[in-house]
Amino acid sequence: MNTKMGLTKQYLRYVPSSNVNIIASSRCNVIFVELEGQEGRFVATGACEHIIIWDLRLNEKVRVLTGEKTIVTRLAGSPNKQYIAAGYEDGVIKIFDLKSEEDVSIFAGHRSEITSLSYDTLGYRLASGSKDTDIIIWDVVDETGICRLKGHKDIVTKVIFMSKQNIVISSSKDTLVKFWDLDTEHNFRTLVGHRSEVWSLALTKNNQYLITGCRDNELRLWKLFFVDTEITECDINVDTSNINEDETTDMQKYPLRYSFVGSILRSSKGRVVSLEVDPSETILACYGTNDTVELFHFLQESKVKENMSKKLIKKIKKASENTDEVNTQFLNTVTLRDEIKRLPHIKVSDKVKGLDMVMGKGGELRICIGVDDNSLDLYSLQIEEREAEAKRLRSIKAHGHRTDVKVVCFSSDGLAFATASGDSIKLWNRSSLACIHTIECGPALTATFAPGDRYLIVGLKCGKMLIVHLLSGEILEKVPAHTGALRSVILYPDMNGVVSGGDDKNVQFWNFEIFADIDRPTEPQILSVTHTRTLKLEECVLCVRISPNNKFLAVSLLDLTVKIFFLDTFKFIISLYGHSQPVLCMDISSDSTLIATGSSDRNVKIWGLDHGNCHKSIFVHDNSVTGLAFVPNTHYFFTCGKDGKVKQWDADIYKNIATLQVIYFINNQSSYI
């Protein structure tokens, strides 16, 4: 029996290896961890699927707890400081050992993203809340689930244990706060007094106060207390206006009571994002959708009594001078103003995305804040001082860009790579992923290594072309190359110069020159460029490419076309048209037979460079195609887009070979390398 078998192609497989540029993910909180017996020095942050532990004193990355495929969305530290619980976007929870850096437990019970994690006082149980509206209590010792609590009708925003009772309190976007008895696995109280989503909650003063935060600028305070269940409801004063009607009949079965005692007005506008307390439960931190952290100190009873006695003595002294009577009964009445002290607020460089606090020696409060511009700030505040101010001790910024990464290019030897964003250029060591240099500049749109990998040619939005010396990290020259944005710069195939294109409708040709610099005696020769030719066009230039055989020049224009010229004479050959939106990227194969173009219309078109005929149009991404490059000596090419994916294609059979998911975004721009 004869059978025919078709030949199959073999392709290289690509898997994620590492990431750089992420200091603190905007989708995850930050927590202090204890290493080497030191508290307040090390902090853990989410970084895509990994967890990074930073040394705030040395400004270094000390450990990386590796994940697999999904983003870390929530972190929680165990009370014994030995473990970290991490919740992921797919609903999985992992427990990491800080000493061995390995995951010791995996819990899979949620169907969607983890939004809250909390350990109990002893660290034996873990409560998790999720977007699937469920709460699960886990036994971290036996590595099993204890119970699943159902009742919320929207995303669970916060879950916390009470310290001395077997009770869990949860909040949700359904405007409800629920109290759960873990002995019976029953929701015995539902607080219904909120008019909008409850975004967070916290317990302070040894579980004496419950604070809830919503969409408005008020933090609501609820006093929690326990009563003897043998006493009838007529004998105690309980506010039932905020209690679910179905539960009022069961009031006597549960000793926990609460009453609304007042509100704290926030100085910030907008909704509350999170409420956090320090380990002593005396400091409350609140942050919203802006760049401000508000701090409140819940004074101990002894301090309150001391302040009240001082207040009474001062009033009596003043009354004796004015011969007025003193209402001591009024003075002995403790109000929220007497119990809560507003501390100086902290203003950071961008939106706050997470914070954690530890109490140091001598009343020093340390606050670590994760900022939306990919940085970490450490602040110190002396809470006992009358006119204390929050001081920024340290900031981790050098390991990442502050704005979206627009450009990535590799050196010819593959030992280094450069990235550029709206504020700086960074040079990275490829093996260690350490940042070698940070060069401050304006918004960069394109970059390439010069031959020899000692210089970097960078095109800026202002039209200037920078020549950066990589060994020293200095900008040697700022060449006024274009009067509009410089959008594309590439090397000649013979490596003797560069070609640039910009919004001024010109394509400029530059030759490299080496000359001696008398200002740098240690550097005998430095690189410069001289202008040789100009190709003037009728539309803004978006992208420029030269064929490897040094014969053709391809220019992408704002009029949705790609025009092909002879490189030596600038004679026009053919115009490639068919895209419905501008071509943002393109590349030519190594044999100079194919040109592939990627556009904002989410399509890639493959053309024959000889006659300009369109071989195939492929819908490749769900958003604009932002990058395209052929693999040398093949007809395989890679594309990337604003949908967060990198794809590999075969230009001969027009098939998608592989899809690599890029899982981290800042403002819809990929920052995962």
Side-chain angles (χ1 to χ4, degrees):
M1 182 177 179
N2 295 327
T3 59
K4 294 183 178 179
M5 297 181 63
L7 296 176
T8 60
K9 286 188 176 182
Q10 292 184 343
Y11 301 102
L12 292 176
R13 183 186 178 192
Y14 295 89
V15 295
S17 60
S18 56
N19 57 48
V20 298
N21 189 52
I22 305 175
I23 298 173
S25 169
S26 62
R27 292 190 58 181
C28 185
N29 62 318
V30 301
I31 61 170
F32 277 107
V33 296
E34 186 175 310
L35 292 177
E36 303 171 2
Q38 299 186 40
E39 190 176 18
R41 175 177 174 178
F42 302 95
V43 65
T45 67
C48 289
E49 69 273 30
H50 306 313
I51 301 168
I52 299 177
I53 299 178
W54 297 94
D55 187 335
L56 296 175
R57 182 181 298 175
L58 300 179
N59 197 9
E60 292 180 355
K61 184 189 304 182
V62 292
R63 292 185 185 177
V64 177
L65 308 178
T66 57
E68 294 181 359
K69 296 181 180 179
T70 55
I71 299 174
V72 181
T73 57
R74 196 69 189 174
L75 298 175
S78 64
N80 62 6
K81 312 296 183 182
Q82 295 180 10
Y83 302 96
I84 288 181
Y88 292 83
E89 190 180 33
D90 58 358
V92 172
I93 300 169
K94 292 183 179 181
I95 309 295
F96 289 91
D97 189 323
L98 287 174
K99 291 183 179 179
S100 64
E101 304 181 28
E102 297 179 354
D103 54 299
V104 295
S105 301
I106 299 178
F107 301 107
H110 289 287
R111 300 183 301 275
S112 58
E113 178 180 324
I114 301 298
T115 56
S116 179
L117 286 175
S118 177
Y119 276 96
D120 67 356
T121 306
L122 298 177
Y124 297 156
R125 293 175 300 176
L126 180 70
S128 60
S130 170
K131 283 187 175 181
D132 62 10
T133 74
D134 291 348
I135 300 165
I136 301 179
I137 309 300
W138 307 92
D139 189 325
V140 297
V141 178
D142 293 338
E143 300 183 7
T144 184
I146 298 175
C147 61
R148 183 187 295 268
L149 307 177
K150 289 179 172 288
H152 284 294
K153 297 179 180 179
D154 208 331
I155 296 172
V156 177
T157 55
K158 192 73 173 286
V159 182
I160 53 177
F161 283 93
M162 294 193 72
S163 59
K164 296 181 180 179
Q165 286 76 29
N166 200 22
I167 294 173
V168 163
I169 309 175
S170 63
S171 62
S172 170
K173 287 179 67 176
D174 61 8
T175 75
L176 303 177
V177 173
K178 290 182 176 289
F179 294 79
W180 308 84
D181 186 346
L182 296 183
D183 292 328
T184 61
E185 302 176 10
H186 175 60
N187 168 218
F188 67 92
R189 291 280 186 277
T190 299
L191 201 161
V192 295
H194 300 92
R195 297 185 295 272
S196 62
E197 302 97 328
V198 183
W199 286 98
S200 189
L201 55 81
L203 289 169
T204 62
K205 291 191 72 172
N206 197 21
N207 294 182
Q208 186 177 354
Y209 287 112
L210 173 69
I211 302 98
T212 57
C214 301
R215 273 192 171 275
D216 51 26
N217 65 338
E218 291 184 14
L219 299 180
R220 292 163 176 81
L221 270 72
W222 312 82
K223 191 175 182 63
L224 304 182
F225 55 95
F226 291 83
V227 299
D228 189 349
T229 56
E230 295 180 358
I231 302 176
T232 62
E233 289 299 323
C234 297
D235 297 329
I236 57 176
N237 182 18
V238 179
D239 181 11
T240 60
S241 61
N242 294 314
I243 300 175
N244 193 315
E245 293 180 358
D246 297 335
E247 296 167 352
T248 55
T249 58
D250 295 333
M251 288 286 289
Q252 294 180 353
K253 296 181 181 180
Y254 300 95
L256 177 65
R257 303 289 187 266
Y258 55 80
S259 62
F260 177 72
V261 293
S263 298
I264 301 175
L265 291 179
R266 301 167 51 226
S267 60
S268 302
K269 296 181 179 180
R271 73 171 179 90
V272 170
V273 173
S274 184
L275 298 173
E276 305 292 340
V277 294
D278 72 313
S280 66
E281 294 187 356
T282 59
I283 306 296
L284 173 70
C286 171
Y287 65 90
T289 56
N290 56 9
D291 57 356
T292 303
V293 175
E294 297 180 67
L295 299 170
F296 306 92
H297 186 194
F298 285 73
L299 302 178
Q300 299 292 348
E301 297 298 333
S302 59
K303 186 67 174 177
V304 174
K305 291 180 180 179
E306 181 184 344
N307 292 341
M308 293 299 293
S309 63
K310 290 180 180 179
K311 184 177 179 182
L312 180 59
I313 294 172
K314 184 177 180 181
K315 191 70 176 180
I316 292 174
K317 184 178 180 181
K318 184 176 181 181
S320 63
E321 296 175 355
N322 299 327
T323 64
D324 295 332
E325 294 184 0
V326 180
N327 189 346
T328 57
Q329 184 179 0
F330 173 75
L331 290 175
N332 288 329
T333 302
V334 179
T335 64
L336 287 180
R337 189 183 295 273
D338 298 318
E339 289 192 79
I340 303 173
K341 176 184 176 183
R342 189 184 294 267
L343 298 176
H345 67 267
I346 301 174
K347 198 173 184 66
V348 294
S349 58
D350 209 316
K351 293 181 181 179
V352 180
K353 288 301 179 180
L355 69 83
D356 197 13
M357 299 177 289
V358 293
M359 189 65 72
K361 297 179 180 179
E364 181 198 16
L365 179 69
R366 289 201 167 195
I367 310 107
C368 184
I369 302 174
V371 190
D372 195 34
D373 64 357
N374 194 29
S375 64
L376 280 175
D377 290 338
L378 178 65
Y379 287 84
S380 174
L381 177 65
Q382 295 291 339
I383 61 175
E384 298 298 335
E385 293 182 2
R386 178 169 295 182
E387 297 181 357
E389 291 185 2
K391 300 178 181 179
R392 190 173 70 176
L393 300 180
R394 294 172 185 86
S395 182
I396 298 181
K397 293 183 177 181
H399 299 271
H401 288 282
R402 305 278 71 73
T403 58
D404 302 338
V405 176
K406 301 290 187 182
V407 183
V408 179
C409 59
F410 284 83
S411 61
S412 60
D413 55 11
L415 298 179
F417 63 94
T419 58
S421 67
D423 60 353
S424 63
I425 306 161
K426 289 183 179 290
L427 181 67
W428 307 82
N429 183 299
R430 188 176 182 181
S431 58
S432 65
L433 301 180
C435 181
I436 303 172
H437 288 301
T438 298
I439 302 102
E440 300 294 332
C441 67
L445 302 178
T446 182
T448 185
F449 278 87
D453 299 327
R454 297 178 63 186
Y455 302 94
L456 188 70
I457 312 297
V458 182
L460 301 183
K461 191 175 182 179
C462 64
K464 292 183 179 180
M465 184 166 58
L466 305 183
I467 302 178
V468 181
H469 188 240
L470 296 178
L471 293 179
S472 62
E474 297 180 0
I475 298 175
L476 298 181
E477 190 175 1
K478 297 181 179 180
V479 182
H482 295 267
T483 56
L486 200 168
R487 298 193 177 274
S488 183
V489 59
I490 60 168
L491 291 172
Y492 286 144
D494 58 10
M495 305 296 179
N496 289 328
V498 292
V499 181
S500 62
D503 284 355
D504 59 357
K505 305 178 184 180
N506 292 331
V507 177
Q508 307 281 15
F509 292 77
W510 312 82
N511 283 343
F512 289 135
E513 279 193 356
I514 301 294
F515 67 94
D517 188 358
I518 58 175
D519 296 331
R520 295 178 177 85
T522 57
E523 188 73 19
Q525 292 180 326
I526 61 174
L527 183 72
S528 184
V529 293
T530 56
H531 178 256
T532 57
R533 295 190 298 170
T534 298
L535 172 62
K536 296 183 178 294
L537 298 163
E538 297 179 354
E539 293 289 342
C540 297
V541 178
L542 302 180
C543 188
V544 178
R545 289 293 181 269
I546 297 176
S547 63
N549 61 8
N550 217 21
K551 290 185 178 180
F552 306 108
L553 172 69
V555 183
S556 166
L557 302 176
L558 195 60
D559 62 1
L560 317 185
T561 65
V562 175
K563 297 190 181 296
I564 310 297
F565 301 87
F566 283 112
L567 182 61
D568 53 355
T569 62
F570 291 163
K571 181 180 179 181
F572 173 72
I573 304 174
I574 198 167
S575 179
L576 310 179
Y577 57 90
H579 285 289
S580 59
Q581 292 189 34
V583 174
L584 303 180
C585 53
M586 60 183 176
D587 199 16
I588 301 174
S589 61
S590 298
D591 56 6
S592 301
T593 59
L594 298 178
I595 179 172
T597 57
S599 168
S600 298
D601 62 11
R602 302 175 289 177
N603 289 284
V604 164
K605 294 183 183 294
I606 302 171
W607 316 76
L609 197 57
D610 47 359
H611 299 97
N613 55 320
C614 182
H615 294 179
K616 189 70 174 180
S617 181
I618 309 172
F619 182 84
V620 294
H621 289 283
D622 297 328
N623 209 325
S624 300
V625 185
T626 56
L628 187 153
F630 273 97
V631 178
N633 303 318
T634 70
H635 281 179
Y636 310 144
F637 65 92
F638 282 89
T639 61
C640 63
K642 286 187 177 181
D643 60 357
K645 296 177 181 178
V646 175
K647 295 186 178 183
Q648 185 183 16
W649 303 85
D650 190 327
D652 293 327
I653 60 176
Y654 318 122
K655 295 293 183 182
N656 178 212
I657 301 171
T659 298
L660 310 177
Q661 182 67 45
V662 180
I663 61 177
Y664 179 68
F665 292 93
I666 300 178
N667 299 331
N668 290 329
Q669 295 293 331
S670 169
S671 293
Y672 182 99
I673 300 171

